[in-house]
Amino acid sequence: MELTELTITQAHEGLVKKEFSAFELCQAYLARLEKKDKEISAFLTVTKDSALSQAKKVDDMILEGREIPVLAGIPCAIKDNILVEDVRCTVASKILENYIAPYDATVVKKLKEENCLILGKTNLDEFAMGSSTENSAFGSTRNPYDLSRVPGGSSGGSAAAVAANLCLYALGSDTGGSIRQPASFCGIVGLKPTYGAVSRYGLIAFASSLDQIGPITKTVEDAKIVFEAIKGGDELDSTSVESKIANFRVPAARVQISNLRIGVPKEYFIKGMDPEVEKVIKEAIKKYEEMGAKIEEVSLSHTECALPCYYIIAPSEASANLARYDGIKYGLSESKGKDLLDVYLKSREEGFGPEVRRRIMLGTYALSAGYYEAYYLRAQKVRTLIKDDFDQAFKEVDAILTPVSPTPAFKLREKITDPLTMYLSDIFTVSVNLAGLPAISLPCGKVGKLPVGLQIIGKPFEEEKILAIGEILEKA
Ligand code: GLN
């Protein structure tokens, strides 16, 4: 097998058995990246030198006969809104084009403690706002399955990099679907953890009550390994909790398919959904039934409010979070302004792209005096109703199955001029963030040559269970 086609477990075994060195593994990926990424454009920064020296370090450990952690020497990529010390972190925005991260995000620190090997930083929609990676200030990423299509977004660079074998796994972030939807479009696995399961320290904030970092991998097992490495409470993020999640490497209670009750929400099979996608999803659900799971219809009755609710709350939080980019504290500065206000305005006008400006305007409007109650406060109440729907459903079932997206990967430029159509592609993913739940996206079939993902939603901190449920389908 090619070195660039291995999973994490296979690569780790190969390193331990000295079938190849970490240096060879790293070189194989760098060579492929150099060749292939010309057409895919998944990477914004490649950290070749530090990757190669890290590989040598891991090889030394192996030569000394030391036991290496499972992620040691395994080439990975990091979404460019997560800080890696001394490496440029752009959030795909002109405003941070030359910003060098002064410290490691907690997730990166944890990966480094495992002697991880970082190949570089991946493209995204500017400030993670988008569903296609076309909102990047540095050009679009392309879908490895069809170069005329988008990889999804906003973690499109991470998903395309894993799908095209440019790295073994990647980190993404998910505020309203940005791990799951690109994973679905690129035919790989994406896990959006429970809110608070993974530290957000060092993640450039978009909407702080919704953002979570998670793994993008080729297999469910790999997702478990990466999640295991990055999860846990962090005193630098007061919303993170030391999770009750079991240690995956100790064989935990296996999920018995015959004891499994799986919910299918009737509100998720809607008009406007691609009938071919619906067919693939329904076949996957049927497979679970054939294997012995009990399938029940559940109702998440506020589903139709989720998208409008998300598009009030996320922009409101974004408008507050992005106030710090003023041309003084960080990044791009248009210092030729006639006074301080002018510097602020000019820097922001120069630095932010159209979608980011649209969100800031939406959010500022929703939070302004006189409108706050009508929009923001009401959206918060709806958010509670959405959460209540899930609590109710989870009294009856162990997990909920839905599509990830109403369509497979769409064409580049197809939706970019119509923001509302673009927002509609988040219809099945945003509720999970509003409710703070864990969910995975896993490939379950194809429409033509394009992959389709199944979403498995679980109760808070039941990552282990949804991953096990996913593994059952993956093996079938
Ligand atoms: N597509 C959604 C948005 O544009 C979600 C983005 C995300 O999860 N970061 O807001």
Side-chain angles (χ1 to χ4, degrees):
M1 205 187 215
E2 291 275 340
L3 288 185
T4 50
E5 283 169 14
L6 302 173
T7 65
I8 295 175
T9 324
Q10 289 165 342
H12 175 68
E13 268 178 30
L15 287 174
V16 171
K17 290 188 187 146
K18 302 199 176 82
E19 286 163 13
F20 46 82
S21 68
F23 196 77
E24 284 164 342
L25 186 67
C26 182
Q27 272 185 322
Y29 275 92
L30 286 169
R32 185 173 168 84
L33 202 161
E34 200 165 305
K35 198 161 127 235
K36 264 280 194 188
D37 205 37
K38 286 197 183 87
E39 55 186 23
I40 293 176
S41 305
F43 281 80
L44 292 176
T45 305
V46 178
T47 49
K48 185 176 172 181
D49 295 343
S50 62
L52 287 169
S53 62
Q54 175 63 14
K56 280 195 199 126
K57 206 175 126 198
V58 172
D59 282 334
D60 287 345
M61 287 171 73
I62 297 170
L63 280 178
E64 286 162 20
R66 282 160 64 189
E67 201 179 312
I68 55 163
V70 63
L71 290 176
I74 308 291
C76 71
I78 310 285
K79 185 177 180 178
D80 207 22
N81 59 351
I82 300 172
L83 306 189
V84 178
E85 192 177 332
D86 294 335
V87 177
R88 190 170 78 118
C89 190
T90 68
V91 238
S93 179
K94 271 172 71 183
I95 210 150
L96 290 184
E97 186 168 4
N98 299 311
Y99 176 72
I100 305 292
Y103 59 89
D104 280 328
T106 297
V107 287
V108 171
K109 191 166 156 262
K110 288 188 174 208
L111 291 179
K112 284 186 176 173
E113 278 160 13
E114 296 227 4
N115 294 290
C116 75
L117 195 155
I118 297 172
L119 292 176
K121 307 292 300 290
T122 50
N123 201 10
L124 64 152
D125 287 293
E126 185 177 1
F127 279 94
M129 297 170 186
S131 312
S132 67
T133 315
E134 291 166 293
N135 292 333
S136 167
F138 309 115
S140 310
T141 298
R142 287 158 189 272
N143 191 312
Y145 279 84
D146 176 346
L147 296 177
S148 70
R149 291 177 189 267
V150 303
S154 61
S155 314
S158 287
V162 174
N165 291 329
L166 307 184
C167 60
L168 263 150
Y169 70 96
L171 292 187
S173 69
D174 191 313
T175 306
S178 278
I179 287 176
R180 291 159 288 155
Q181 185 253 25
S184 169
F185 281 12
C186 292
I188 47 174
V189 176
L191 169 69
K192 181 257 168 216
T194 310
Y195 186 76
V198 176
S199 168
R200 290 180 295 108
Y201 182 71
L203 168 69
I204 294 183
F206 163 10
S208 308
S209 78
L210 302 161
D211 299 340
Q212 268 295 285
I213 297 172
I216 295 178
T217 56
K218 294 184 202 174
T219 64
V220 175
E221 184 180 37
D222 284 359
K224 280 191 211 178
I225 293 170
V226 179
F227 177 59
E228 165 69 23
I230 61 173
K231 74 181 170 69
D234 176 12
E235 60 183 22
L236 298 168
D237 171 7
S238 59
T239 62
S240 70
V241 286
E242 193 51 55
S243 62
K244 307 152 223 163
I245 310 160
N247 186 330
F248 287 119
R249 277 179 242 154
V250 181
R254 286 278 125 219
V255 171
Q256 276 280 335
I257 182 94
S258 51
N259 294 336
L260 216 56
R261 295 164 311 160
I262 288 179
V264 177
K266 55 177 187 234
E267 293 83 359
Y268 277 61
F269 293 87
I270 47 158
K271 277 202 263 40
M273 174 155 160
D274 184 330
E276 301 273 327
V277 171
E278 182 167 343
K279 211 173 120 217
V280 171
I281 298 295
K282 289 206 162 142
E283 274 163 15
I285 295 171
K286 198 150 156 262
K287 254 189 218 148
Y288 277 107
E289 192 166 26
E290 285 164 4
M291 288 186 287
K294 196 161 170 289
I295 307 290
E296 288 172 35
E297 187 179 86
V298 292
S299 174
L300 299 170
S301 59
H302 296 88
T303 298
E304 66 171 357
C305 309
L307 213 49
C309 175
Y310 173 85
Y311 276 97
I312 298 286
I313 293 176
S316 296
E317 293 186 20
S319 71
N321 273 326
L322 271 59
R324 73 191 72 173
Y325 304 100
D326 57 5
I328 304 288
K329 298 190 201 75
Y330 303 92
L332 184 126
S333 181
E334 280 300 317
S335 51
K336 283 185 220 84
K338 63 179 187 306
D339 54 25
L340 187 60
L341 181 65
D342 205 35
V343 172
Y344 289 168
L345 294 176
K346 285 207 170 110
S347 303
R348 288 167 72 84
E349 193 183 325
E350 240 332 271
F352 290 140
E355 183 60 30
V356 174
R357 274 190 260 167
R358 186 178 296 121
R359 304 271 179 127
I360 292 173
M361 282 191 285
L362 278 171
T364 309
Y365 183 81
L367 292 177
S368 55
Y371 295 102
Y372 181 88
E373 283 80 8
Y375 293 105
Y376 184 73
L377 209 60
R378 182 170 299 182
Q380 290 292 14
K381 288 179 182 163
V382 173
R383 182 176 187 172
T384 304
L385 295 173
I386 290 168
K387 169 88 171 72
D388 289 347
D389 281 352
F390 279 106
D391 289 347
Q392 230 27 57
F394 280 126
K395 285 187 184 149
E396 311 295 327
V397 296
D398 303 297
I400 292 174
L401 300 188
T402 78
V404 175
S405 173
T407 65
F410 42 88
K411 290 259 182 201
L412 283 152
R413 315 281 324 149
E414 187 181 322
K415 301 189 184 200
I416 195 73
T417 50
D418 183 357
L420 283 183
T421 322
M422 187 72 91
Y423 297 171
L424 271 175
S425 55
D426 305 329
I427 191 152
F428 301 137
T429 47
V430 294
S431 299
V432 164
N433 302 75
L434 290 166
L437 302 172
I440 67 168
S441 167
L442 111 143
C444 71
K446 280 189 180 164
V447 170
K449 60 177 176 176
L450 300 173
V452 172
L454 174 74
Q455 176 168 238
I456 309 175
I457 308 170
K459 296 178 196 171
F461 301 103
E462 291 204 350
E463 278 82 355
E464 186 186 8
K465 190 181 272 174
I466 55 171
L467 286 161
I469 296 172
E471 215 162 21
I472 291 171
L473 186 72
E474 189 180 62
K475 294 218 163 97

